[in-house]
């Protein structure tokens, strides 16, 4: 057991974890932030993606005890307060979600994709950048549309509107 | 309704909670004093269990109880039969298995549940389960359905008089088919495979069981598409209690696809274990555990021969199929056995058919429904063979289909397999799909591919879906304040029912949609319902909802007549108002509704509360609906490497009257992605010992965003005549058409290179091998 102080969704939290406690388990079981989901056990589905000190990570790959003191973590619950984030709005408007299970990981990933693309974003770039997230419901088409719509709302130019393979 | 610039899609009513991480999935439920269940699964595909040693597990940290099949027997737990057998759908009697929720004598596939550990944490339970020693005496294994029908094959069920065959379902007219083949100008024979695949909802299965001693009542929270079906099965068969003593709740469900259309052993185990330990018990399936224990879809081998004229007109089809049931006849395995045969005629006048489907036991985990449920297999056969015929005769893919298509003026049309299509403009759909897909621009694109050293191929395929099985019930009730609650027997787990049904009721009653609450998925709140699968909810849920509205208006009229001092029969309801005909007297429905909740006064005579209930029925017994469509696909193949890109895919779907076009298209996109997975990537692979070798996402490939083309989808509205809404289903169409659309396009690309046949999944390695074999043969 070890103790560590983290900043989760802007709040300082002192937590006690076992050596084997995965970040996703801490988030879900100790913080009761159940928006972060577990869809696999091989770090491939992306349902557990959170923001960790500015990077997106699959929280099932992180051993909590190894995190530096004061690490900043943002989960889907911390993406917006009150009004929805423009990316959340975009997912709803473009029907980029169905059962909703993959959605939290996708929204966190999508915001990161846009933030890393200040010079513009295309559909094919979005498809490639979504390689770490699985969705079994939507066929991805409306997710791609959502990310581009969210990008526009976040002030990033969308290029190459018509997709080519 | 179609989205328009004036009335665009604005998102679903249920979206906000999913987008903010506030979804309520079963894994998110934590009950006070909850403990956890871990499982011991069989590592042999066929073996006698000699002993189960739990002694070490019982001493492990955090362990509360260890339970085995012997404890099940001691507690008098019952076994689980199939949800229903083919005889209920007019088929022959077959061998129905009885499945123990913990097996104590003989395992018949890997992943059978042998023992459970209940512990303080999920980790404690899993670690302790690892220490349980099962001593097996291995038995011979058979994994292939056709091999399992051989006389010397290992037998799974000793008392099955028909070897490993549970049931053989015949269909069609043998004599007429033989006559047609005797006169045939062209015949083509093929052997086609639809391998086992995983439904793979992104949310793994999960259950929480809670026995309440004070009420002698159980509550099960489970990720299910059909909570009432789960309740019946567990209460009647396993616990042997009155159904009213079991409550089943399925809140938000993270994808179903047929996997969650029936109960799984864990649903019963957590309830039983909860009573044993006196605490709530939670089971969180890990992905690896679910890959091993989930039901799987497809799994069919079929030998088919078609007869036709030289002009390309089909005259007969004969086929014999072997469907791999796995170790049990489990869940809803019956519908795919039928649909895989019944939909073989597809959109065509095929002449005579002679079809048989053998449902065969093997040492694989059980098969049940997966999106499409037999329809993709039927469509794969029909459209593969149509392209084979076109290739044989040198005809155009669209042309040969139009020659054989059933004409709209032939409706209603009964196929050789007994399906009565009420409506459909099949040839028009082919023309429209050609337009949507830029069919005529193909040659230029093929030339571009050639210039890059690649080959391009294309397909144009049609499909028919049969939607609307079983029966359904819906309720609409006014609350005392004039707001409305819909109580749905269907179960939305991504399909957007909360939005679509609420919009329908808002429109009918002229009530603001924000004043409507939608309730589903709790057997204590919903009197009865069948849940959602097989593209059934639009027609059966929608029709039942319409009838609930009619019943509610009829009852409201009684009150309106009193309040307006008019005769009931002189009242008309429109735009949310009851109006007295030929007068200016009128009253709003919501005001009428509120009067039903006034505790005193003259209106009291009508009793308390304003509700309406409606029911509906579909196949078998009443008419279903037949959504249909045409897909056009183009692929590009690198003949040196076998690398394959799905470059274009257009889908034109007749969905009957459109309830919400954005949600319809979402269903189509998702179905196509799953169809693409089936065509190119997905396969549950078992070795000859029946061991699963594709047990995680490391070895089981699911489509990702960059695999998918940008789908061009268009909806067509040919009104359905079998239901008052005119709707047709949409949930499965994409998954039905896409596999053969993609495989046919691949074959079109590589046929000139000498590759005449390839089986799903068309992986790069498989395609490369086929190309090299063809090269060597030339």
């Amino acid at each position: 057991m070890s103790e560590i102080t983290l900043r989760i969704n802007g709040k300082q939290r002192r937590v006690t974890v076992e050596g084997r406690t995965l970040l996703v388990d801490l988030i879900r079981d100790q913080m009761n932030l159940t928006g972060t989901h577990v869809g696999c056990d091989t770090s491939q589905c992306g349902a557990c993606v959170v923001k960790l000190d500015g990077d997106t990570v699959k929280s099932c790959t992180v051993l909590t005890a190894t995190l530096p003191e004061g690490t900043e973590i943002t989960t889907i619950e911390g993406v917006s307060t009150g009004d929805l984030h423009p990316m959340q709005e975009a997912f709803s408007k473009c029907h980029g979600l169905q059962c909703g299970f993959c959605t939290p990981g996708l929204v966190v990933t999508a915001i990161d994709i846009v933030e890393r693309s200040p010079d513009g974003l295309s559909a094919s770039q979005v498809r490639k950048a979504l390689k770490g997230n699985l969705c079994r419901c939507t066929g991805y088409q409306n997710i791609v549309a959502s990310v581009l719509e969210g990008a526009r709302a976040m002030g990033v130019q969308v290029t190459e509107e018509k997709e080519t393979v | 309704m179609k989205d328009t610039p004036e009335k665009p899609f604005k998102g679903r009513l249920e979206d906000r909670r999913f987008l903010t991480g506030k979804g309520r999935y079963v894994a998110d439920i934590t009950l006070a004093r909850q403990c956890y269940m871990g499982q011991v699964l069989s590592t042999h595909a066929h073996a006698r269990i000699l002993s189960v040693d739990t002694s070490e597990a019982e001493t492990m940290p955090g362990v509360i109880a260890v339970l085995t099949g012997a404890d099940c027997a001691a507690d008098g737990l019952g076994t689980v039969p199939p949800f229903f057998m083919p005889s209920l759908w007019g088929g022959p009697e077959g061998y129905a298995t009885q499945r123990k929720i913990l097996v104590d004598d003989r395992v018949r596939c890997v992943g059978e549940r042998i023992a459970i550990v209940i512990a303080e944490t999920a980790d404690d339970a899993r670690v302790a389960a690892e220490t349980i020693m099962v001593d097996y005496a291995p038995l011979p294994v058979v994994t292939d359905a056709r091999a399992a029908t051989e006389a010397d094959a290992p037998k799974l069920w000793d008392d099955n008089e028909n070897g490993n065959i549970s049931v053989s379902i015949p269909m069609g007219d043998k004599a007429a088919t033989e006559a047609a083949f005797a006169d045939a100008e062209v015949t083509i024979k093929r052997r086609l495979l639809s391998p086992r695949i995983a439904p793979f909802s992104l949310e793994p299965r999960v259950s929480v069981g809670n026995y309440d001693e004070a009420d002698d009542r159980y509550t099960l929270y489970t990720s299910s598409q059909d909570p009432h079906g789960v309740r019946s099965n567990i209460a009647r068969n396993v616990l042997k209690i009155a159904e009213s003593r079991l409550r089943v709740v399925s809140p938000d469900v993270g994808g179903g696809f047929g996997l969650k259309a029936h109960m799984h052993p864990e649903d019963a185990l957590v309830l039983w274990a909860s009573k044993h330990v006196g605490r709530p018990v939670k089971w969180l399936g890990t992905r690896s555990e679910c890959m091993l224990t989930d039901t799987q879809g497809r799994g069919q081998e079929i030998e088919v021969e078609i007869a036709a004229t030289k002009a390309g007109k089909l005259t007969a089809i004969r086929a014999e199929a072997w469907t791999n049931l796995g170790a049990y006849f489990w869940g809803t395995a019956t519908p795919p056995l039928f649909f895989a045969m019944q939909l073989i005629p597809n959109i065509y006048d095929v002449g005579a058919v002679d079809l048989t489907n053998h449902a065969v036991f093997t040492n694989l985990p059980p098969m049940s429904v997966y999106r499409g449920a037999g329809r993709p297999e039927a469509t794969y056969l029909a459209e593969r063979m149509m392209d084979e015929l076109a290739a044989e005769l040198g005809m155009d893919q669209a042309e040969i289909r139009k020659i054989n298509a059933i004409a709209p003026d032939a409706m209603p049309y009964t196929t050789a397999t007994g399906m009565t299509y009420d409506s459909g403009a099949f040839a028009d759909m082919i023309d429209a799909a050609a337009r949507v897909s830029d069919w005529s621009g193909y040659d230029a694109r093929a030339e571009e591919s050639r210039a890059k050293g690649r080959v391009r191929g294309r397909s144009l395929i049609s499909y028919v879906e049969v939607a609307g099985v079983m029966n359904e019930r819906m309720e609409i009730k006014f609350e005392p304040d004039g707001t409305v609650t819909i109580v749905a027997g269907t179960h939305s787990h991504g399909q957007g029912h909360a939005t679509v049904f609420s919009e329908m009721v808002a429109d009918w009653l002229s009530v603001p949609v924000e004043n409507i609450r939608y309730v589903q998925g709790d057997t204590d709140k919903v009197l009865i319902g069948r849940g959602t699968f097989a593209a059934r909810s639009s027609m059966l849920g929608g029709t039942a909802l319409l009838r609930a509205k009619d019943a509610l208006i009829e009852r409201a009229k009684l009150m309106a007549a009193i309040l307006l001092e008019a005769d009931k029969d002189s009242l008309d309801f429109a735009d949310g108002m009851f109006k007295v005909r030929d007068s200016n007297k009128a009253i709003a429905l919501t005001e009428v509704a509120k009067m039903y909740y006034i505790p005193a006064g003259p209106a009291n005579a009508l009793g308390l509360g304003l509700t309406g209930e409606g029911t509906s029925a579909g196949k078998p017994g009443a008419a279903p609906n037949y959504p249909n469509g045409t897909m056009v696909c183009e692929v590009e193949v690198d003949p040196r490497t076998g690398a394959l890109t799905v470059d274009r895919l257009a889908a034109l779907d007749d969905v009957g009257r459109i309830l919400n076009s954005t949600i319809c298209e979402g269903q189509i996109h998702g179905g196509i992605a799953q169809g693409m997975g089936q065509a190119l990537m997905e396969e549950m692979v078992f070795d000859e010992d029946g061991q699963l070798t594709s047990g995680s996402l490391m070895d089981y490939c699911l489509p990702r965003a960059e695999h998918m083309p940008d789908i061009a989808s268009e909806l067509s509205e040919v009104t359905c005549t079998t239901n008052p809404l005119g709707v047709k289903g949409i949930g499965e169409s994409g998954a039905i058409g896409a596999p053969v659309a993609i495989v046919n396009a691949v074959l079109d690309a590589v046929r000139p290179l000498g590759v005449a046949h390839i089986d799903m999944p068309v992986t790069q390695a498989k395609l490369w091998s086929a190309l090299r074999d063809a090269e060597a043969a030339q």
Side-chain angles (χ1 to χ4, degrees), chain B residues 425-437 461-463 627-632 649-655 668 672 711-717 730 733:
Chain B
F426 304 140
D428 291 352
M429 297 288 283
I430 291 171
D431 287 335
R435 173 181 51 75
V436 171
S437 65
I461 65 97
S462 293
Y463 51 91
N628 58 87
T630 298
M631 269 184 207
V632 177
L649 207 152
L652 192 78
D653 281 274
D654 167 12
V655 299
I668 292 164
I672 288 173
I711 297 161
S713 166
E714 272 195 23
L715 303 178
S716 159
E717 292 186 278
I730 190 55
S733 300

Coordinates of all heavy atoms in Angstrom, one line a residue, chain B residues 425-437 461-463 627-632 649-655 668 672 711-717 730 733:
Chain B
A425 N -39.8 -2.3 -53.8 CA -39.6 -1.9 -55.2 C -38.1 -2.3 -55.6 O -37.2 -1.4 -55.6 CB -39.8 -0.4 -55.4
F426 N -37.9 -3.6 -55.7 CA -36.5 -4.0 -55.7 C -35.7 -3.6 -56.9 O -34.5 -3.1 -56.7 CB -36.5 -5.6 -55.6 CG -37.2 -6.1 -54.5 CD1 -38.0 -7.3 -54.6 CD2 -37.1 -5.6 -53.2 CE1 -38.7 -7.8 -53.5 CE2 -37.8 -6.1 -52.1 CZ -38.6 -7.2 -52.3
A427 N -36.2 -3.6 -58.1 CA -35.5 -3.2 -59.3 C -35.2 -1.7 -59.2 O -34.1 -1.2 -59.6 CB -36.2 -3.5 -60.6
D428 N -36.2 -0.9 -58.7 CA -35.9 0.5 -58.5 C -34.8 0.8 -57.6 O -34.0 1.7 -57.8 CB -37.2 1.2 -58.0 CG -38.3 1.2 -59.0 OD1 -38.1 0.9 -60.1 OD2 -39.4 1.6 -58.5
M429 N -34.7 0.0 -56.5 CA -33.6 0.1 -55.6 C -32.2 -0.1 -56.2 O -31.3 0.6 -55.9 CB -33.8 -0.9 -54.4 CG -35.0 -0.7 -53.6 SD -35.0 0.8 -52.6 CE -34.0 0.2 -51.2
I430 N -32.2 -1.1 -57.1 CA -31.0 -1.4 -57.8 C -30.6 -0.2 -58.7 O -29.4 0.3 -58.7 CB -31.1 -2.6 -58.7 CG1 -31.2 -3.9 -57.8 CG2 -30.0 -2.8 -59.7 CD1 -31.6 -5.2 -58.5
D431 N -31.5 0.4 -59.4 CA -31.2 1.6 -60.2 C -30.8 2.8 -59.4 O -29.8 3.5 -59.7 CB -32.5 2.0 -61.0 CG -32.7 1.0 -62.2 OD1 -31.8 0.4 -62.6 OD2 -33.9 0.9 -62.6
A432 N -31.5 2.9 -58.3 CA -31.1 4.1 -57.4 C -29.8 3.9 -56.8 O -29.0 4.9 -56.7 CB -32.2 4.2 -56.3
A433 N -29.4 2.6 -56.4 CA -28.1 2.4 -55.8 C -27.0 2.7 -56.8 O -26.0 3.2 -56.5 CB -28.1 1.0 -55.3
A434 N -27.3 2.3 -58.0 CA -26.3 2.5 -59.1 C -26.0 4.0 -59.2 O -24.9 4.5 -59.4 CB -26.8 1.9 -60.4
R435 N -27.1 4.8 -59.1 CA -27.0 6.3 -59.2 C -26.2 6.8 -58.0 O -25.2 7.6 -58.1 CB -28.3 6.9 -59.3 CG -28.4 8.4 -59.2 CD -29.8 9.0 -59.3 NE -30.7 8.4 -58.3 CZ -30.8 8.6 -57.0 NH1 -29.9 9.5 -56.5 NH2 -31.7 8.0 -56.2
V436 N -26.6 6.4 -56.8 CA -25.9 6.9 -55.5 C -24.4 6.6 -55.5 O -23.6 7.3 -55.0 CB -26.6 6.3 -54.3 CG1 -25.9 6.6 -53.0 CG2 -28.1 6.7 -54.2
S437 N -24.1 5.4 -56.1 CA -22.7 5.0 -56.0 C -21.9 5.4 -57.2 O -20.7 4.9 -57.3 CB -22.7 3.4 -55.9 OG -23.2 2.9 -57.2
I461 N -25.2 -5.7 -54.7 CA -26.0 -6.8 -54.1 C -27.3 -6.2 -53.5 O -27.4 -5.1 -53.1 CB -25.2 -7.5 -53.0 CG1 -24.9 -6.6 -51.8 CG2 -23.9 -8.1 -53.6 CD1 -25.8 -6.8 -50.6
S462 N -28.3 -7.1 -53.4 CA -29.5 -6.7 -52.7 C -29.8 -7.6 -51.5 O -29.2 -8.7 -51.4 CB -30.7 -6.9 -53.7 OG -30.5 -5.9 -54.7
Y463 N -30.6 -7.2 -50.6 CA -30.9 -8.0 -49.5 C -32.3 -7.7 -49.0 O -32.9 -6.7 -49.2 CB -29.9 -7.8 -48.3 CG -29.7 -6.3 -48.0 CD1 -30.5 -5.7 -47.0 CD2 -28.7 -5.6 -48.6 CE1 -30.3 -4.4 -46.7 CE2 -28.5 -4.3 -48.4 CZ -29.3 -3.7 -47.4 OH -29.1 -2.3 -47.1
P627 N -37.8 -5.1 -44.5 CA -36.9 -4.1 -45.0 C -36.0 -4.7 -46.1 O -35.7 -5.9 -46.1 CB -36.1 -3.8 -43.8 CG -36.8 -4.4 -42.6 CD -37.5 -5.6 -43.2
N628 N -35.6 -3.9 -47.0 CA -34.7 -4.4 -48.1 C -33.8 -3.3 -48.6 O -34.1 -2.1 -48.3 CB -35.6 -5.0 -49.2 CG -36.5 -4.0 -49.8 OD1 -36.2 -3.2 -50.7 ND2 -37.7 -3.9 -49.2
G629 N -32.9 -3.6 -49.3 CA -32.0 -2.6 -49.8 C -31.0 -3.1 -50.8 O -30.9 -4.3 -51.1
T630 N -30.2 -2.2 -51.3 CA -29.1 -2.6 -52.3 C -27.8 -1.9 -51.8 O -27.9 -0.7 -51.4 CB -29.5 -2.1 -53.7 OG1 -30.7 -2.8 -54.1 CG2 -28.4 -2.4 -54.7
M631 N -26.8 -2.6 -51.9 CA -25.4 -2.0 -51.6 C -24.5 -2.1 -52.8 O -24.6 -3.1 -53.5 CB -24.8 -2.8 -50.4 CG -25.1 -2.3 -49.0 SD -24.2 -3.2 -47.8 CE -25.3 -3.0 -46.5
V632 N -23.7 -1.1 -52.9 CA -22.7 -1.1 -53.9 C -21.4 -0.9 -53.2 O -21.2 0.0 -52.4 CB -22.9 0.0 -55.0 CG1 -21.8 0.0 -56.0 CG2 -24.3 -0.3 -55.7
L649 N -18.5 2.5 -50.4 CA -19.6 1.7 -50.1 C -20.9 2.5 -50.0 O -20.9 3.5 -49.3 CB -19.4 0.9 -48.7 CG -20.1 -0.4 -48.6 CD1 -19.4 -1.3 -47.7 CD2 -21.5 -0.2 -48.1
A650 N -21.8 2.2 -50.8 CA -23.1 2.9 -50.9 C -24.2 2.0 -50.5 O -24.2 0.8 -50.9 CB -23.4 3.5 -52.3
A651 N -25.1 2.5 -49.6 CA -26.2 1.6 -49.2 C -27.5 2.4 -49.4 O -27.7 3.5 -48.9 CB -26.1 1.3 -47.7
L652 N -28.4 1.7 -50.1 CA -29.8 2.3 -50.3 C -30.8 1.4 -49.6 O -30.8 0.2 -49.9 CB -30.1 2.4 -51.8 CG -31.3 3.3 -52.1 CD1 -30.9 4.7 -52.0 CD2 -31.9 2.9 -53.4
D653 N -31.5 2.0 -48.6 CA -32.3 1.1 -47.8 C -33.8 1.6 -47.8 O -34.1 2.7 -47.6 CB -31.9 1.2 -46.3 CG -30.7 0.3 -46.1 OD1 -30.9 -0.9 -45.8 OD2 -29.5 0.8 -46.2
D654 N -34.7 0.6 -48.1 CA -36.1 0.8 -48.0 C -36.5 0.5 -46.5 O -36.5 -0.7 -46.1 CB -36.8 -0.1 -48.9 CG -38.3 -0.1 -48.6 OD1 -38.8 0.7 -47.8 OD2 -39.0 -1.0 -49.2
V655 N -36.7 1.5 -45.7 CA -37.0 1.3 -44.3 C -38.5 1.6 -44.0 O -38.9 1.8 -42.9 CB -36.2 2.3 -43.4 CG1 -34.7 1.9 -43.6 CG2 -36.4 3.7 -43.7
I668 N -27.5 1.8 -39.9 CA -27.0 1.2 -41.1 C -25.4 1.3 -41.1 O -24.8 0.3 -41.4 CB -27.5 2.0 -42.4 CG1 -29.0 1.7 -42.5 CG2 -26.7 1.6 -43.6 CD1 -29.7 2.7 -43.4
I672 N -23.1 -2.1 -41.1 CA -22.1 -2.2 -42.2 C -20.7 -2.5 -41.6 O -19.9 -3.3 -42.1 CB -22.1 -1.0 -43.1 CG1 -23.4 -1.1 -44.0 CG2 -20.8 -1.0 -44.0 CD1 -23.6 0.2 -44.8
I711 N -19.3 5.9 -45.8 CA -20.5 5.2 -46.4 C -21.5 6.2 -46.9 O -21.8 7.2 -46.3 CB -21.2 4.4 -45.3 CG1 -20.2 3.3 -44.8 CG2 -22.5 3.8 -45.8 CD1 -20.6 2.7 -43.4
A712 N -21.9 6.0 -48.2 CA -23.0 6.8 -48.8 C -24.3 6.1 -48.5 O -24.6 5.1 -49.1 CB -22.7 7.0 -50.3
S713 N -25.1 6.7 -47.6 CA -26.4 6.0 -47.3 C -27.5 6.9 -47.7 O -27.6 8.1 -47.6 CB -26.4 5.8 -45.8 OG -27.7 5.5 -45.3
E714 N -28.5 6.2 -48.3 CA -29.8 6.9 -48.7 C -30.9 6.0 -48.3 O -30.9 4.8 -48.3 CB -29.9 7.2 -50.2 CG -29.2 8.5 -50.6 CD -29.6 8.9 -52.0 OE1 -30.7 8.5 -52.5 OE2 -28.8 9.7 -52.6
L715 N -32.0 6.7 -47.8 CA -33.2 6.0 -47.4 C -34.3 6.1 -48.4 O -34.4 7.2 -49.0 CB -33.6 6.5 -46.0 CG -32.6 6.5 -44.9 CD1 -33.2 7.1 -43.6 CD2 -32.1 5.1 -44.6
S716 N -35.0 5.0 -48.5 CA -36.1 5.1 -49.5 C -37.4 4.6 -48.7 O -37.3 3.8 -47.8 CB -35.8 4.1 -50.6 OG -37.0 3.7 -51.2
E717 N -38.5 5.3 -48.9 CA -39.7 5.0 -48.1 C -40.8 4.3 -49.0 O -41.5 4.9 -49.7 CB -40.3 6.3 -47.6 CG -39.4 7.0 -46.6 CD -40.1 8.2 -45.9 OE1 -40.1 9.2 -46.6 OE2 -40.7 8.0 -44.8
I730 N -34.8 -1.6 -39.1 CA -33.6 -1.1 -39.6 C -32.3 -1.7 -38.9 O -31.2 -1.6 -39.4 CB -33.6 0.4 -39.6 CG1 -32.4 1.0 -40.4 CG2 -33.5 1.0 -38.2 CD1 -32.3 0.5 -41.8
S733 N -30.0 -4.5 -41.1 CA -29.8 -4.4 -42.6 C -28.3 -4.3 -43.0 O -27.9 -5.1 -43.9 CB -30.6 -3.3 -43.2 OG -32.0 -3.4 -42.9

